[in-house]
Amino acid sequence: MERLPGFNVANFLEKRQLLIAINCIAALSIFFFGYDQGMMGGVNNAKDYIDLMGFGYVDPVTEEPIITDSLLQGGIVSVYYLGTLFGCLGGGWVGDKVGRIKTIALGSVWAIIGASLQCSAQNHNWMICARAVNGIGTGILNAIVPVWATETAEHTSRGQFIAIEFTLNIFGVVVAYWLEFGLSFIDNGNSAFRWRFPIAFQIIPLLVLLASVWFFPESPRWLVKAGRVEEARFILHRLRGSTGEDRERAELELHDINNIVALESKESSKNSYLHMLFGIGSGELHTGRRVQLVIWLQIIQEWVGIAGVTIYAPTIFRIAGFDTFKSQWISGLNNIFYMFATLICVFTLDRIGRRWTLYWGAVGQGIAMFLAGAFSKLGQDATARGEIDKANSYGAAAASFVFIFTSVFGATWLTVPWLYPAEIFPLQVRAKGNAWGVFGWSIGNGWLTLLCPVMFSNIGSTTLHIFGACNIVAIPIVWALYPESNQRTLEEMDLLFAAPTPWVWDAEKTFARLKEEQPELVQAARRGEHVVDPEAGILKHPATPKPDEATHTESEENVSP
């Protein structure tokens, strides 16, 4: 094949230029995801929206929102995550059936319909249904876009892409927040435009994504799986290079993908969502254990406090004694610090590993949450006594610790729960494994966005103490249950999870024992060979490649060097 049919950017761009183009398209989806997350914080403060939905009113004197039905307010926000829960599972399944490009287009259409329904909502029932539809589209995109991007990228750029991905995600949050802050000055913040336009604005990147994704190459791995080997070969040549050593490398990668697809075909009956969840037929691969780990890591990620801080930051600052206007611009400034903090992971994640990143993050976040809660309470009490100067001092202290919390979170817990699923699952279930991660994120977010209004309404700043305690609890959980994935190939993950128990010390002992007893086994894993079989268990004599055979594999590209 000399070129792809029709207009396709792969016919004109190659190597780094093509990879940058693909990442730019993926960035549209990631930006939309972040924007959609941050949007509801400002919408929940709009007078027209509060009146129309019927969950409260705005005090005419203080101009602060007074919520009379916090369950309804939280329910409207959290039903979105119910949609993402079903969307991610559907996206993983559809993505394996019809390809990555068509699935991205499907997710875009769902999200556009959901956004259109939201910005035209006339009552809370309408809004709840629209939020669910929008969530399905987001879930589809979250399940498939990272897979498409990583399957086309080289191993040298994947770690960097993950870090940039979350910077773009938080950039979406920042854009949503400051757009809504600016619109709050129109008609004194009382017009419907204040909340309808920000919801409609998300349609713009979605339309660009839907219109442009058709002109980009499909995942070579999916094409091989679908039997379109020549098309996959052409795309790999364009991605890696079509001359000299680059062409050789592309051919070797295609050879590896063919081997992986053959392995998938052998074990496809054991790769359904049900089999994965309960580990049915996975033997010593212990797929069910891995699914539970990624689901609960995402749930814990929300309970360390970010769900409350991101969505209900203005409420936190009002508790601290700030007026509505001041709490809003401080929340926006906090999001900017949050965005830049995500860049820290680029330099630390592969140096100190996943576990130590979570450790220091939990310690820093826990301390920040406890102190933010304490100063918020002091500020609230000082305001009640009429001691305005003291209230402002305590409020400034509380705000500073919220800034510290989001910065530490952006540098640690934001990234690892999304990276871990891509590292610990066997290649044949990568898309579905990533979908399980999104599944856990949906549960964690939906749970807390439903509870946060109720918690802040009833126990105030004590909510922050609960988040602080969750950070402390997270440390022993990570220490006991989450093995280190840093600097290990995907096939080595199979050996790491071969232990009969879920404890980290048993996993490391089993890995060390296998390395000592059968050094050729670990060497085979490093070469990317299949070393654990669901039926046969750990393979005793993995094949040794011939000297002239390449050992470069796609699995090695999932772990940063």
Side-chain angles (χ1 to χ4, degrees), residues 156-172:
T156 54
S157 62
R158 281 180 177 171
Q160 184 182 27
F161 176 77
I162 290 293
I164 295 173
E165 172 180 336
F166 287 99
T167 302
L168 289 167
N169 177 266
I170 306 307
F171 177 64

Side-chain angles (χ1 to χ4, degrees), residues 252-496:
L252 292 171
E253 187 172 345
L254 180 64
H255 175 72
D256 291 335
I257 293 173
N258 272 309
N259 290 340
I260 292 165
V261 169
L263 177 62
E264 287 180 357
S265 300
K266 176 186 174 184
E267 300 180 0
S268 59
S269 62
K270 306 177 183 68
N271 292 341
S272 70
Y273 282 122
L274 186 65
H275 282 86
M276 289 181 69
L277 180 61
F278 296 103
I280 300 171
S282 67
E284 293 188 27
L285 284 171
H286 297 124
T287 306
R289 183 191 305 169
R290 306 189 208 193
V291 168
Q292 294 297 327
L293 287 176
V294 300
I295 289 175
W296 283 102
L297 187 60
Q298 286 280 16
I299 292 174
I300 295 171
Q301 182 199 46
E302 299 307 317
W303 274 96
V304 298
I306 195 60
V309 169
T310 301
I311 300 174
Y312 297 99
T315 304
I316 293 173
F317 292 127
R318 280 198 296 272
I319 289 172
F322 296 138
D323 59 30
T324 300
F325 176 77
K326 195 172 183 179
S327 68
Q328 286 178 346
W329 75 257
I330 288 177
S331 295
L333 189 61
N334 179 50
N335 286 335
I336 293 176
F337 276 79
Y338 184 16
M339 179 182 70
F340 284 111
T342 59
L343 295 173
I344 296 174
C345 256
V346 177
F347 306 101
T348 62
L349 194 57
D350 290 331
R351 285 179 169 84
I352 66 175
R354 314 326 180 208
R355 283 161 59 86
W356 278 101
T357 298
L358 295 176
Y359 289 157
W360 84 261
V363 171
Q365 291 161 186
I367 294 172
M369 278 287 95
F370 281 123
L371 292 174
F375 283 115
S376 293
K377 177 61 176 174
L378 290 172
Q380 194 175 30
D381 292 344
T383 300
R385 294 193 303 267
E387 299 173 349
I388 304 303
D389 289 340
K390 280 189 176 181
N392 289 339
S393 298
Y394 290 137
S400 67
F401 283 110
V402 170
F403 272 56
I404 291 171
F405 171 84
T406 51
S407 295
V408 173
F409 180 87
T412 57
W413 276 79
L414 173 68
T415 303
V416 175
W418 291 92
L419 176 61
Y420 206 66
E423 293 184 310
I424 70 168
F425 282 101
L427 280 173
Q428 62 264 35
V429 290
R430 179 190 293 163
K432 290 178 180 176
N434 192 61
W436 279 119
V438 181
F439 181 90
W441 170 83
S442 302
I443 294 174
N445 256 298
W447 188 0
L448 267 175
T449 49
L450 185 64
L451 285 178
C452 272
V454 180
M455 293 169 72
F456 280 115
S457 176
N458 288 280
I459 61 177
S461 59
T462 305
T463 304
L464 304 185
H465 294 150
I466 293 174
F467 292 148
C470 289
N471 279 280
I472 304 305
V473 172
I475 295 173
I477 292 175
V478 172
W479 173 76
L481 297 174
Y482 289 83
E484 181 58 72
S485 60
N486 187 37
Q487 304 301 325
R488 282 171 168 154
T489 68
L490 192 62
E491 283 72 24
E492 284 182 295
M493 294 301 107
D494 290 345
L495 297 177
L496 191 63

Side-chain angles (χ1 to χ4, degrees), residues 28 60 96 209 260 457:
L28 285 171
D96 281 338
L209 178 63
I260 292 165
S457 176

Side-chain angles (χ1 to χ4, degrees), residues 182-191 193-194:
L183 291 175
S184 68
F185 294 97
I186 297 177
D187 193 24
N188 203 29
N190 296 325
S191 70
F193 188 77
R194 177 181 174 180

